Amino acid sequence: MKKLIALLLVFVFALSFTATAFAATEIETASASLAEKGILAGDENGDLKLSNELNRAELAVILTRLTFAHSEGGLDDWERTGKAYFGDLKTRTNTFTDVPDWAMPFVEFCFVQGLMFGVADGRFDAQSKVSPKMAATVMLRFCGVAETDWSYSTSVEKATTLGLAPDAGMDGATILRGTMAVLIARSTAFAAEHNHAPSEPTPTLTPDEMRALLLEKINAERTQQGASALTVLPILADCAQAKAQDFLDNDYFDHDSPRYGAAVDMIFSYVPDALLAGEVLAGRARDAAEAYDALYASAAHQTLMMKPDYTHIGIGITKCDGVGYYWVVQFVQLEK
């Protein structure tokens, strides 16, 4: 009997060892792949610290690298322009007060992309440890899984149902780096298999480049409809930018400003010799194409933008407190 019990114990131990080895293999495979792609980084000795917990700032770094790695330009785009763009104080969207300087570009990117948000009182809680629910939430968002039948509290269950959650490591208070690597690997495989393209990073264009693109689209449509192309009037551009900034300063989105009054009155105060003035607005559009589509979807906006009497244009852009930008497009007619 003792021999039988001993044999059973050996058999049980062997099964346990095999299961552990299989789990470790998935962690090692996933983490090695992420490290090779530059998504998961180790210390100076190359140690990926797979048994360490992950904090929110580190998660923002991983998510940013992961998103850019799946974009057309790859991680080179982040190093060339992305890091500087999302680290620019002038165009920052978030108002977090507890993010270290080195992490701010990554946090800003994740905030703009809608992958991560703050906790309370203007804090991002950068050093807080990542929980399995938090990890599952951001990966479901990364995969584009609509938040219709799941929420933060049920994110692990949803990730498990979809086969994203690892078989172990999702039931504690925090998640380890190795477990996160498996969650990422399964999530990206799921996205590819179900044609859920990972979220493309927001274009890293300057505000001037975005203004130029929107103007190009408006003028192309005006030309097609037989109206003359519009010319940028610097003072009107200043007016439109002041209006866009006013949206942030006074927390509103409307043609009538608590600071400048009615849109037409504001425009005439900047351009007193204008014969005619008009304004169209687009909110939370992420780029020039999305702003144009939003404007053109309105018949009233179409009529105003295509009005043949207008000769000049000014465009203002300011980041929303969230995803996208406020777009202010103003028009005037000057004597020719």
Side-chain angles (χ1 to χ4, degrees):
M1 178 62 72
K2 288 182 179 180
K3 183 179 292 187
L4 177 59
I5 292 174
L7 287 173
L8 287 173
L9 288 174
V10 170
F11 181 64
V12 170
F13 174 78
L15 285 178
S16 300
F17 177 81
T18 301
T20 302
F22 275 24
T25 298
E26 186 177 12
I27 289 175
E28 291 168 359
T29 301
S31 58
S33 176
L34 294 178
E36 183 180 0
K37 295 172 182 175
I39 297 168
L40 191 65
D43 60 16
E44 64 276 6
N45 299 316
D47 185 354
L48 296 177
K49 304 291 184 180
L50 300 179
S51 298
N52 285 13
E53 296 173 320
L54 193 67
N55 66 37
R56 282 172 55 86
E58 293 168 337
L59 179 59
V61 173
I62 291 173
L63 287 173
T64 301
R65 290 173 177 166
L66 178 64
T67 306
F68 272 86
H70 285 82
S71 69
E72 185 177 348
L75 283 172
D76 286 344
D77 271 359
W78 174 254
E79 294 300 328
R80 275 196 304 265
T81 57
K83 188 182 295 184
Y85 178 81
F86 289 102
D88 190 344
L89 286 171
K90 297 177 183 177
T91 55
R92 181 175 298 168
T93 297
N94 78 73
T95 56
F96 303 134
T97 58
D98 63 336
V99 178
D101 290 342
W102 68 265
M104 184 55 83
F106 302 96
V107 170
E108 169 70 3
F109 173 79
C110 290
F111 183 74
V112 169
Q113 292 297 112
L115 295 173
M116 297 182 74
F117 301 100
V119 290
D121 304 324
R123 294 182 300 111
F124 180 74
D125 210 8
Q127 300 304 317
S128 176
K129 301 303 180 184
V130 176
S131 68
K133 289 180 180 179
M134 188 186 306
T137 294
V138 298
M139 292 317 302
L140 287 168
R141 289 172 178 165
F142 174 82
C143 288
V145 180
E147 298 182 41
T148 52
D149 62 344
W150 66 275
S151 62
Y152 180 86
S153 62
T154 61
S155 58
V156 172
E157 289 81 356
K158 182 66 174 179
T160 300
T161 300
L162 296 177
L164 311 184
D167 302 330
M170 298 292 287
D171 55 353
T174 59
I175 194 168
L176 303 183
R177 287 167 60 88
T179 307
M180 189 71 208
V182 176
L183 178 59
I184 291 172
R186 291 191 178 192
S187 297
T188 51
F190 170 87
E193 181 181 353
H194 294 80
N195 295 319
H196 289 173
S199 176
E200 282 285 330
T202 300
T204 52
L205 300 178
T206 66
D208 283 343
E209 289 171 330
M210 289 191 287
R211 291 186 188 95
L213 284 174
L214 181 57
L215 175 59
E216 181 181 332
K217 288 180 174 294
I218 292 173
N219 276 339
E221 185 63 30
R222 282 178 64 87
T223 300
Q224 185 174 341
Q225 295 193 21
S228 61
L230 299 169
T231 302
V232 173
L233 184 65
I235 189 63
L236 187 59
D238 291 343
C239 179
Q241 189 59 38
K243 181 67 170 286
Q245 184 61 44
D246 194 38
F247 289 154
L248 288 183
D249 294 344
N250 288 298
D251 191 24
Y252 77 102
F253 183 69
D254 194 88
H255 290 293
D256 293 334
S257 163
R259 177 184 292 171
Y260 301 108
V264 172
D265 293 339
M266 180 184 182
I267 293 172
F268 282 133
S269 71
Y270 273 78
V271 192
D273 55 341
L275 303 177
L276 189 67
E279 177 186 86
V280 292
L281 307 174
R284 303 194 181 282
R286 291 170 293 183
D287 53 35
E290 194 169 295
Y292 181 78
D293 289 344
L295 293 171
Y296 203 73
S298 164
H301 285 168
Q302 284 183 45
T303 300
L304 192 148
M305 289 191 296
M306 299 302 124
K307 195 174 185 65
D309 295 332
Y310 289 135
T311 57
H312 293 79
I313 189 173
I315 301 174
I317 304 174
T318 305
K319 278 190 174 181
C320 301
D321 185 13
V323 178
Y325 298 80
Y326 290 125
W327 300 72
V328 178
V329 188
Q330 296 176 336
F331 307 85
V332 296
Q333 178 190 7
L334 298 180
E335 287 185 338
K336 296 182 179 180

